[in-house]
Structures are given as C-alpha cells and as structure tokens.
Amino acid sequence: MTRTLISGGLVVTAAEETQADVLIEDEKVVALTAPGLGLTADTVIDATACYVIPGGVDAHTHMELPFGGTFASDTFETGTRAAAWGGTTTIVDFAVQSMGASLREGLDAWHAKAEGNCAIDYAFHMIMADVNEGSLKEMEGLVGEGITSFKLFMAYPGVFYSDDGKVLRAFQRGAETGGLIMMHAENGIAIDVLVEQALARGHTDPRYHGEVRHALLEAEATHRAIALAQVAGAPLYIVHLSAIEALAEVTAARDAGYNAFAETCPQYLFLSTDDLAKPDFEGAKYVCSTPLRPVEHQAALWRGLRTDDLSVVSTDHCPFCFKGQKDLGLGDFSKIPNGLPGVETRMDLLHQGVVDGHVSRRRWIEIACATPARMFGLYPRKGTIAPGSDADVVVYDPAATQVLSASTHHMNVDYSCYEGRTVTGAVRTVLSRGRVVVDAGEYRGSAGHGRFLKRDTCQYLR
Ligand SMILES: [Zn+2]
C-alpha cells in the first residue's frame, strides 16, 4: 500500500472550504484530517498557500472527432495529457454512431481509440446520428454498460441532424431507460438557408458563421427541445448554450419545475464575435457551434452560472489546426471545421472568473467538478474530495500568474484562443487515482493509466 499526504492546503469542494490534510491510500482518498497531525506517508506533498481541489471533470470533449473532412487534432493520448496539465482528471467524450450503423459499432470504435491511450480516466456519451427502431432499442443495453447519456442534434442537416419526430422518440426512450438526452439546440434547417444566402451575397469570411447562426435560432431550438422533452416526460441537458435568449428558455423551464439542465463553455464566457471578426481569416480560429456571441452575452451567462440556470461548464474541446485544417474554409466560412481547443484551459479560466468576482470558489468547483460528476453519474467517485472518492486531486496555486499561449500549452493544435492573455492561478500538482501525473511543470503520467468509467444514470433525478 502507498500512502500519500497532501498537507497544509485549503481543501475546497462544492460544499465547503476547510484547512485540512488529505490522506490517500493507493487510489483512494481515505481521510481529511486536522492539519499537522504528523501522519506518516510515503510521499508528502506540501500544499501550503495552495488550494486542494478535486480534479476537473470535463463532460464534453471530442478527441479525434471526424468532422468536415478532417479529424479533431487531439488524439485520446495528446488530449488527455493536455487535460491533466490543466487540472482535469476525467473527461466524458462522445462516441459517434455513423449513419446506417448501430450504436454498438460506434461505441466499439471509440473504445478502440481510447483504450490504452488515456492519461486520465474517461467515459463516453453516445452521439445518435441515426435514430431508428434499432438504435432506440439499443439505448437500454448501453445504459447498462455505463453509457448513460445520448446526444442528438437539431443542427447539421445531412450529418448528425434529427427531425422533431426522431427527437421525440429519443426523449421517450430516455424516459424509459434512464438515459439522459443531451441536445445540440440550433435550428439547422433555417441556418442552412441563411448560409446559402450569405455565400450567394459573397459573405464568405468567418464572421458570417456567427451571423447566420442567429441567437434566435438557438433559442427557438432550445424551446422546442424543452417542449418535446416535456411531452415525453423526460429530462434534458442542453449542450454549449451561448445566447441570452436560449438561457431565458432554460430559466423559464427550470422555474416551472422541469428537469431542464444546461452547460456553457469558457469560450462563451471569455470570447465574443469581436474575435470571430478578426481580419485575415484569423476569425476562423474562433469558429465553433453554437457560435460566439456579442460581448454582452457574457455577463448573462455568468449570471446564469450564479443562479444555477447554467449548471456545468464543459469545454466542447474539438481542436483543428489553423494551418491545414481551419483553412479548408478559406473563401467559404461554411467549410471551416467547427470547434475550438480548450480542455487544458478550463480550470484556469474559471478560476479567473473567481478572481474577477463572477463566481465564488465553491461555485467554481461545483460547475467544473461536482455537478458534471453528478449530472453524468460519477459522483462521489469523481468531483469531490471525500473518504472513498478516487484520489483525483489538484494542488492549485491561486496566486501564481501565467500567460496562456500555443507556445506553452500541451494541446496538439497550433494556436490558442487566449494567446497572450494573463490569468491568475495555476495548477501545481495533479494526482489521478493517487498517482502524481503532473508536478511542478513536469509531466509524470503515462498513456494507459486512464481507465474507462462505467457511469451511473443522472444523479439529479432521484
Ligand atoms: Zn460537442
């Protein structure tokens, strides 16, 4: 047995802040004790003047996702390593069903990509691209295997798109099986008309990506998704919510007592259409869907995080290199692969939100660790520091400053959305199931340490 003691830090969880030492035996937390008891351990980690926080849980990543004729540039190996560097110790990635294929075939393919390659623990949601009798039937078996959430798209006609009938049927099966339906809520049919019209007018620059994906088309789809979920008696989880108008729909549903949940992402809290409008095709670096919004949406999203109308901050990490991938859309914004890098910078950016006074320290841990773990059936194994929890622990220096840059990040992508931005706070030491994987600027983890996590169903519905 190996004993590790993390001493002298302020333990911050979603529930409380305590000056305590954390005792770890092998892969588990066994005790939080009063500081300075003089307990013996094989390794003592000094956390004086630091926070001791649960490892981050990023419930929305797309390693190696095939999209727009290319693949997201982080593999499970590089992407989970970058996550560890940034203090995230669990990801929930999306396995993809191909048109005409079963959920099983998609899931098997994603297991093969991830197995033996991950630096941290991982789980899967399942993207349902082809909703039919067969795939609806398969949902129950997948829930039993720990794949307890299913993502549908009201966007991307001809690729991932499901019409309202398919969406309704998926919600009905979700209600029957306990599977949580996650929704990409944008009216893709209307957006495609606006794309065609914009291109015909010669509006080909990246900024038009934001204009055609109108905030009202996010709000309309969010409203429709909530209504269809209600009709089916199912909960739902809206992914990457970015617009004030969409947040209003979620807020109204929650006020009416429905199980409507939503996440936002750091890019919507820190970036805006000003970035998308950068000249010389630079705006392509900021093309993602839902799109970045005008800067005034940011304050509303922070407010939603404070009021719990937004429950989770995930990254939607889906990186494409500026050279060789984003440039597929030179002269036609609709061909720019959709997605941004972010798995490494989420914990730091949200800590900056604490520094800036947008959220409290405990709320930081709640939206980045505890709630995503509960939402997707991983709590209290993940998302907190308590006896019996996995020893996924981060020693975080709240006073350190760092400059975010592609020249120092570990994601396999040639740019940073936050190039040159100074943030306060930095990860010092990261443990994944009791093993130190990052310490003092050195990576000590290994591909294959990370294990597949079989998830329980959503823990907010019981
Ligand atoms: Zn996504």
Side-chain angles (χ1 to χ4, degrees):
M1 188 185 71
T2 309
R3 278 161 72 101
T4 305
L5 186 70
I6 304 176
S7 72
L10 179 70
V11 177
V12 183
T13 66
E16 56 191 1
E17 305 184 356
T18 344
Q19 204 69 43
D21 291 357
V22 177
L23 184 64
I24 294 164
E25 287 179 1
D26 294 331
E27 300 196 341
K28 298 282 184 186
V29 173
V30 292
L32 275 73
T33 70
L37 284 187
L39 294 173
T40 57
D42 304 287
T43 308
V44 177
I45 297 170
D46 180 8
T48 304
C50 287
Y51 302 153
V52 179
I53 60 173
V57 178
D58 190 342
H60 192 153
T61 69
H62 295 286
M63 307 304 172
E64 303 178 39
L65 179 76
F67 190 95
T70 184
F71 286 83
S73 58
D74 263 318
T75 61
F76 279 91
E77 181 173 353
T78 64
T80 57
R81 191 165 60 212
W85 273 103
T88 284
T89 52
T90 302
I91 61 163
V92 190
D93 203 89
F94 288 85
V96 181
Q97 176 201 22
S98 304
M99 289 304 286
S102 63
L103 300 184
R104 166 73 44 206
E105 288 167 272
L107 179 59
D108 287 350
W110 256 257
H111 271 301
K113 287 173 202 254
E115 199 179 346
N117 292 320
C118 292
I120 54 166
D121 289 350
Y122 62 98
F124 291 123
H125 314 284
M126 187 83 224
I127 286 178
M128 291 182 77
D130 197 351
V131 176
N132 58 43
E133 212 142 305
S135 56
L136 288 165
K137 208 167 270 170
E138 281 186 278
M139 286 172 71
E140 189 166 19
L142 262 63
V143 169
E145 289 175 38
I147 314 296
T148 56
S149 39
F150 300 85
K151 184 180 180 189
L152 278 86
F153 291 78
M154 301 165 101
Y156 304 131
V159 189
F160 293 130
Y161 174 80
S162 290
D163 65 27
D164 291 351
K166 291 178 178 178
V167 167
L168 178 67
R169 275 159 56 92
F171 276 129
Q172 289 170 334
R173 277 299 277 164
E176 283 165 20
T177 61
L180 179 63
I181 302 298
M182 309 169 75
M183 190 60 71
H184 180 136
E186 283 187 295
N187 186 327
I189 302 284
I191 286 168
D192 274 10
V193 172
L194 297 178
V195 168
E196 206 183 295
Q197 291 170 346
L199 292 174
R201 279 198 291 270
H203 292 170
T204 60
D205 288 345
R207 55 176 285 221
Y208 295 104
H209 171 83
E211 294 191 9
V212 299
R213 305 188 86 90
H214 202 287
L216 287 176
L217 295 178
E218 183 189 349
E220 182 277 327
T222 301
H223 181 88
R224 191 159 29 104
I226 291 168
L228 291 166
Q230 278 174 234
V231 167
L236 91 165
Y237 179 95
I238 304 285
V239 293
H240 50 55
L241 186 148
S242 71
I244 293 173
E245 296 87 341
L247 176 56
E249 297 291 345
V250 172
T251 303
R254 290 176 65 77
D255 288 350
Y258 298 116
N259 278 319
F261 305 101
E263 68 176 17
T264 190
C265 310
Q267 53 269 32
Y268 307 120
L269 298 166
F270 288 91
L271 303 171
S272 73
T273 44
D274 297 346
D275 297 290
L276 204 48
K278 283 182 180 169
D280 303 324
F281 197 61
E282 191 97 351
K285 293 176 178 175
Y286 304 92
V287 166
C288 57
S289 294
T290 58
L292 301 182
R293 302 296 182 190
V295 73
E296 59 267 22
H297 290 249
Q298 294 173 2
L301 297 177
W302 282 115
R303 182 173 173 279
L305 285 168
R306 287 192 297 276
T307 58
D308 202 35
D309 291 307
L310 295 170
S311 313
V312 171
V313 178
S314 304
T315 60
D316 197 8
H317 177 78
C318 191
F320 298 99
C321 287
F322 186 58
K323 291 202 176 64
Q325 295 192 292
K326 288 287 190 183
D327 53 17
L328 291 167
L330 261 172
D332 179 351
F333 71 85
S334 74
K335 298 208 161 53
I336 300 168
N338 284 204
L340 307 183
V343 76
E344 187 173 354
T345 45
R346 183 184 66 126
M347 295 299 286
D348 287 329
L349 287 166
L350 291 178
H351 180 260
Q352 186 62 42
V354 175
V355 172
D356 294 342
H358 294 300
V359 289
S360 69
R361 277 194 296 231
R362 277 174 284 166
R363 185 64 180 153
W364 167 44
I365 300 308
E366 194 163 37
I367 60 183
C369 311
T371 302
R374 277 204 177 101
M375 189 68 68
F376 298 108
L378 291 167
Y379 195 88
R381 181 169 173 196
K382 305 295 188 187
T384 193
I385 299 174
S389 295
D390 280 358
D392 288 11
V393 182
V394 175
V395 177
Y396 196 84
D397 182 347
T401 56
Q402 54 171 323
V403 179
L404 304 179
S405 172
S407 64
T408 49
H409 76 200
H410 304 86
M411 298 177 284
N412 185 38
V413 61
D414 62 0
Y415 74 96
S416 169
C417 293
Y418 308 98
E419 188 65 42
R421 190 185 289 244
T422 300
V423 293
T424 300
V427 165
R428 189 198 281 177
T429 307
V430 180
L431 287 83
S432 166
R433 293 196 333 271
R435 172 176 167 185
V436 173
V437 292
V438 172
D439 185 49
E442 194 190 334
Y443 179 68
R444 290 165 53 183
S446 62
H449 166 77
R451 286 193 203 132
F452 171 68
L453 298 165
K454 212 176 140 176
R455 293 184 293 114
D456 204 343
T457 53
C458 177
Q459 294 167 313
Y460 281 103
L461 307 176
R462 290 175 181 169

